[in-house]
Structures are given as structure tokens and as C-alpha cells.
Amino acid sequence: MKQKWKTGWRRFVTGFRRIAAFFDRNYLLRTLGYALVSVLAVGLIFYVGYHMVDELQPGLELADAVTRTVTTTVEADAYIMRSERPVYASYTYTGSVTAAVADGGKVARGGKLADVYAAAAPEIENRISEIDTQIAQLRKNDAEDRSAQTTTTLDAAIYDKFFSIAADCAAGDCGDAIARRVSLLVDMQKRAAVRGTGSDYETRIRQLESERNSLTKQLGDNLETVRSDISGYYYAEYDGYGEIFSADRIDSMTYDEFEELLDSEPRFEDTLCVGTVLSDFNWYIACPMSKKEASALVDMYDCSVQFLTAAQSFTMDLYRIIPETPGEGAVVILRCETVPSAFDFTRMQKVLISTVEYSGFELPVTALRVVDGYRGVYVQDGVTVRFRRVNVIHESEDGTVICTGNTQENEAIREEVRLANLRTGKAGAYDETSFGTYYWIEENDVVIVGGRDLYSGKIVG
């Protein structure tokens, strides 16, 4: 029994020595070193990764609060209504008409309007009409102060008309493109005259008159001279709708009666029409639209109306709104008190009517927040995020809003904060939030329009 115990002890000691030999001192130190380095490496990886992720996060998107004025518009079909009387030849049924008065020119009762020639030559008629338009515009320009004319403004007008013509052609509106051509040519001639690279206005007018006389001789015998039986403003183009869309209807016209006008056919007499004479300098446009769109015009005295085809704008006043009863439609009647020369009076044209102007800070709608029941935005004040209240007065379809602040209330809050800090004798002991409110947005505030985890008092930068 004693021998067995000794044998077991020897085996235990031998095994322990083997284990001790395996885990010698140097090996343990090396193992501990490897483990420590591994832990440090993993920690370093996590540390660097944390800061890299923080750097890769999108920063704050900022925008300055700068006052802007935005005008809302309504696009509509405008039907021109005028007090006009078409003029016909007394006994001539066919031929070419050459106007003796420029479009929009004044004519007295009994004054000469046009000559009718034997040859029916539309191309020559059109060219003579273009020449008359160019001569009228050049004479008007020659009478203006040339010192106000610069190549910069003329270049801008030329580029606008060139690209408008290109857009018309791309859209297949060749008629509109041709209508803009004469105005483009006149602007090019003006630019050449201003720069001194072309002939002056008088020389160019004489050249055009010479070409006109030459073309007129090609039209053959003068069959008739047509004169006006009323005084007014003459226009060579007449579409047959003058007596249908008459301004005399405006005061008593109902919505249903206007709808009936749209289905009417043009009316002409048998003899040749040489144009129309406006007996009144007032002319009107009737614009069908919804009652909601028309309501934006109710409180307006006047507005700007842009004729998209003619690329011209006029100031017009609200004359009448004709409601559809019952229904959601309306017809807005606008009046212009100026008879334009060389204006395309096509009966129906697309227009943009400027309705309401809003002045304030234009910001993305995504910048808006609600904090403690207040609607506002976050701003960056140095390295600190602050909340500012806003009053949204208009929201656009493009995702922006126009908002305003309240300077007077800000001054009152600042005074209250100043007095409170003065009583305590500690600067910064009180701010606006101590009184349960926030400052309003102000000019040149740096608004945060994009950012994550925002709150008032957060340190950024």
C-alpha cells in the first residue's frame, strides 16, 4: 500500500514538472504580450472606425436668411375683347392690301387706311407688312434717347427672341416663330447702329421704303383706296371675331354667355377686309379660370400680365369677375388702358397673370421644425444651435416657403432678458427660454436647412 502511494506521488510530481516546463516564464510573458497587443489593436480599430463614421456623416446644410419678394402667377387662356369695327373695301372682292398706317397708329375719320391692288400676291403683302413694322419700330427707336440703349440690353433681347424662336420651332409653332422674326431683325439692326457697324436708322428706313415701293409696283393697278369712317387705332389684321368678342358685351355678360362666344364662328362680309379700327384705347382680356384662382385677384387694383407668345407684358387692372352659378368656374376681366403698337393681337393667347407678392425669407419646407408648440427653424449661432420662431405666409409648390419674423417682439424679449440678468448680477443667467419663448428669425440668420439630431444648445463645428 505504501509502495503504491509513493508511485502515485512520483507520477504527480513528474506531470507537474512537465506542465511547468511547458508554461515556462518566457512563454507566459510572450503570450501575455500577444494578448495585450491584440486587445490594443482591436481597440484602436474601433476608435478609428468610430471617428471615421462620425466624419463621413453629412454635415449641416446652411442657408442665409435673406429677404426676397416672390410673386405668384396664374396661367390662363386670354381672349382679347375690344371696341372695334372691321373695315371692308367698297366694291373690291380680291387683291392685295397695303396698309397706309402702321399697326396701332392713329387714324382720323376719313383718313386713308390702305390701298387695294389688282395682283393677289400674299408673299409680297407679307413682306410689305414686315417692312412697315420695321420702319415703325425704327422710327420709334430713333425718337428715343439713344444713350439709354446699350449693346448689353440689345444682346439680351436678341438672345431671348432667338431662343424663343428656337423653342417655337422645336414645339412645331412655326406661326409664332415667324411672328417673332421681324422684332428680332429690328433689334439686330438697332445693335448694329449702336455699335456703328451698320447704317444709321434713317439710312435703313430709306432702304426699306425703297424696297416697299419696288414691291408695290409688282402688285399692278391700284383698284381702290379705303378710308376710315371713324377715328381710332388701325390694325391691318382682322380675324372675323371683332363683333363677337366685343367690349360692349363685358358689363352685362354672364358666364354661360361667355361660354357661347367660344363656340362662335368668325364673321366676314363679301368684300375684301382691309383691317379693323379700334374706337377706344381701352381693351380687355377675358380669362376663364377656377374661382379659387380668381379669388387671388379680388383685392388687387392692378397686376402685370405677360403675353407668352408676344413676349410682352402690360399693366392691367381688374375690371370684373364673372362667377359660374352654380359651379367652380369664373371669368376674370382685365383692362388695359394703353394701345400698343406692333403688338400681336391674336384673339386667344396664353398669359401669366401676376397675383400676389410675398416678401420674407425663402427657405426649404424641410427646414421647418416644431419645438414646444412653436413653428420655426434651427439656426447656427457661432458654434451653438438655436431655435428661432417663424411665421409662414406662403408655401410654394416647389417645396419652399416664405416666412417672416417679428423684430419688435425680439426687441421686447431682449430687453426683458437684459433686465433679468441685471437684477441677478450674472450675465447669461437668463435667456429667452427662461420666459418660455424663443426669438423670431431675423435678417442674415444662418438657418440650418439640413442636419441630424438637432436641438437648441447643441454644440457644432
Side-chain angles (χ1 to χ4, degrees), residues 76-132:
D77 294 333
Y79 294 85
I80 294 175
M81 304 184 73
R82 307 180 293 188
S83 297
E84 60 183 300
R85 183 182 297 181
V87 181
Y88 294 90
S90 300
Y91 48 82
T92 305
Y93 293 88
T94 60
S96 294
V97 178
T98 61
V101 182
D103 269 359
K106 290 184 178 180
V107 61
R109 182 177 181 180
K112 179 180 176 181
L113 294 179
D115 290 310
V116 181
Y117 291 88
E123 292 183 0
I124 295 179
E125 282 188 73
N126 291 337
R127 178 55 187 159
I128 290 176
S129 177
E130 288 182 1
I131 290 173
D132 290 340

Side-chain angles (χ1 to χ4, degrees), residues 167-175:
D168 290 337
C169 293
D173 298 329
C174 296

Side-chain angles (χ1 to χ4, degrees), residues 63-208:
D64 291 332
V66 179
T67 301
R68 284 194 57 194
T69 298
V70 176
T71 304
T72 59
T73 59
V74 174
E75 183 173 342
D77 294 333
Y79 294 85
I80 294 175
M81 304 184 73
R82 307 180 293 188
S83 297
E84 60 183 300
R85 183 182 297 181
V87 181
Y88 294 90
S90 300
Y91 48 82
T92 305
Y93 293 88
T94 60
S96 294
V97 178
T98 61
V101 182
D103 269 359
K106 290 184 178 180
V107 61
R109 182 177 181 180
K112 179 180 176 181
L113 294 179
D115 290 310
V116 181
Y117 291 88
E123 292 183 0
I124 295 179
E125 282 188 73
N126 291 337
R127 178 55 187 159
I128 290 176
S129 177
E130 288 182 1
I131 290 173
D132 290 340
T133 301
Q134 290 186 50
I135 290 175
Q137 292 187 4
L138 288 170
R139 281 178 174 159
K140 177 184 176 182
N141 191 77
D142 192 32
E144 295 174 350
D145 182 7
R146 294 195 190 184
S147 63
Q149 300 171 11
T150 64
T151 57
T152 302
T153 55
L154 288 173
D155 283 343
I158 289 170
Y159 289 139
D160 287 343
K161 288 169 184 174
F162 176 80
F163 286 115
S164 295
I165 290 173
D168 290 337
C169 293
D173 298 329
C174 296
D176 293 341
I178 293 173
R180 299 180 197 270
R181 184 171 68 92
V182 176
S183 180
L184 174 62
L185 290 174
V186 171
D187 283 343
M188 293 173 68
Q189 292 164 3
K190 290 179 184 178
R191 185 181 186 279
V194 170
R195 295 191 63 186
T197 59
S199 56
D200 60 24
Y201 294 143
E202 287 300 327
T203 301
R204 181 55 183 159
I205 289 171
R206 286 195 295 270
Q207 292 172 349
L208 291 170

Side-chain angles (χ1 to χ4, degrees), residues 43-63:
L44 181 62
I45 290 171
F46 275 107
Y47 178 80
V48 172
Y50 171 79
H51 285 281
M52 286 184 66
V53 170
D54 187 61
E55 288 295 324
L56 291 174
Q57 286 183 349
L60 299 180
E61 296 179 36
L62 306 175

Side-chain angles (χ1 to χ4, degrees), residues 230-426:
I230 60 171
S231 60
Y233 304 88
Y234 172 73
Y235 286 88
E237 293 291 332
Y238 181 66
D239 60 1
Y241 284 102
E243 295 168 320
I244 298 171
F245 288 92
S246 172
D248 297 336
R249 302 177 184 269
I250 290 176
D251 290 332
S252 60
M253 184 170 60
T254 65
Y255 186 90
D256 291 335
E257 289 173 344
F258 175 78
E259 290 286 307
E260 292 175 3
L261 296 182
L262 302 183
D263 297 327
S264 302
E265 297 294 330
R267 302 171 188 168
F268 291 96
E269 294 183 8
D270 293 335
T271 54
L272 188 64
C273 181
V274 300
T276 185
V277 175
L278 277 62
S279 58
D280 188 359
F281 58 83
N282 289 319
W283 56 283
Y284 308 79
I285 56 173
C287 304
M289 62 182 68
S290 67
K291 286 181 178 177
K292 181 180 179 181
E293 292 173 320
S295 65
L297 294 163
V298 170
D299 297 327
M300 298 189 66
Y301 175 74
D302 58 30
C303 58
S304 175
V305 179
Q306 180 184 3
F307 288 76
L308 300 182
T309 301
Q312 287 183 260
S313 297
F314 301 97
T315 298
M316 308 184 82
D317 57 79
L318 178 63
Y319 187 80
R320 187 183 176 206
I321 296 179
I322 307 172
E324 180 185 14
T325 51
E328 297 300 319
V331 178
V332 174
I333 307 294
L334 300 173
R335 176 179 62 186
C336 184
E337 298 178 325
T338 303
V339 176
S341 59
F343 174 66
D344 178 14
F345 269 109
T346 299
R347 190 66 58 178
M348 194 283 286
Q349 301 186 41
K350 290 283 186 182
V351 295
L352 277 181
I353 305 171
S354 299
T355 54
V356 184
E357 288 188 348
Y358 297 95
S359 291
F361 307 117
E362 185 178 38
L363 300 170
V365 69
T366 54
L368 298 179
R369 305 284 194 278
V370 176
V371 175
D372 297 334
Y374 293 112
R375 197 178 191 187
V377 296
Y378 285 112
V379 302
Q380 184 173 339
D381 182 13
V383 295
T384 308
V385 175
R386 305 290 185 190
F387 183 75
R388 296 288 184 260
R389 286 188 284 166
V390 300
N391 176 33
V392 177
I393 60 175
H394 176 66
E395 186 168 343
S396 303
E397 294 180 357
D398 62 357
T400 60
V401 295
I402 300 297
C403 55
T404 59
N406 191 324
T407 304
Q408 292 181 344
E409 187 171 341
N410 276 354
E411 291 176 354
I413 296 172
R414 287 193 177 97
E415 181 63 15
E416 194 172 2
V417 170
R418 187 187 70 82
L419 293 175
N421 287 324
L422 189 63
R423 285 192 295 268
T424 62
K426 296 180 180 179

